[in-house]
Amino acid sequence: MKVLIVDDQDPFRDAARAVVGRASGFDVVAEAASGEEAIANVDEHAPDLVLMDINMGGISGIEATKAITAAHPEVTVFLLSTYNVEDLPPDVSTCGAAAYLNKEEFGGRVLRTTWDAGGQDGWRPRVLTT
């Protein structure tokens, strides 16, 4: 599974890279620090999965997800942030993302569980714990 990590914070990209690197069957092919970079990277690297931060400078992760899933419906996007599910922005459920993962709970098991549970097939606005 080719993965693109998108987050404007270097420390989280580093952590996500380590998590993905330890998760069997997943491989980081690119990273981006903005929604604009994410869109360009999807065009260039054709990832299977995008791990997308919601809040970034420039266009938000929600707007980037809309653009990515419209242009590349075969790409799965998991949104990541620190929101509680009930506090997610209202447009997350219509942006094309397949799942929401809380950054505080993000790990290899959560990534694998979400993917295996069908997170690639439809929106599941929930926080999964390890």
Side-chain angles (χ1 to χ4, degrees):
M1 206 66 51
K2 298 185 299 183
V3 180
L4 166 63
I5 297 169
V6 185
D7 198 287
D8 59 346
Q9 301 290 318
D10 288 335
F12 186 78
R13 285 198 314 273
D14 292 344
R17 186 180 333 104
V19 166
V20 172
R22 287 190 308 269
S24 177
F26 294 90
D27 183 42
V28 176
V29 294
E31 296 179 22
S34 70
E36 293 86 353
E37 285 182 38
I39 293 166
N41 272 294
V42 168
D43 290 339
E44 182 177 345
H45 297 284
D48 301 297
L49 174 63
V50 177
L51 300 175
M52 178 77 72
D53 185 23
I54 292 177
N55 294 315
M56 296 180 286
I59 66 171
S60 72
I62 293 170
E63 290 302 314
T65 298
K66 286 178 186 178
I68 289 167
T69 58
H72 301 278
E74 73 285 2
V75 175
T76 299
V77 178
F78 290 174
L79 294 173
L80 286 93
S81 194
T82 57
Y83 288 106
N84 291 323
V85 172
E86 60 273 6
D87 297 326
L88 285 167
D91 52 348
V92 295
S93 63
T94 59
C95 72
Y100 170 72
L101 306 175
N102 188 290
K103 285 182 176 182
E104 296 168 3
E105 302 294 333
F106 182 65
R109 190 175 315 153
V110 169
L111 177 62
R112 172 55 64 191
T113 300
T114 304
W115 186 264
D116 290 348
Q120 71 275 17
D121 294 326
W123 172 250
R124 285 165 180 75
R126 58 188 165 154
V127 177
L128 299 175
T129 59
T130 55

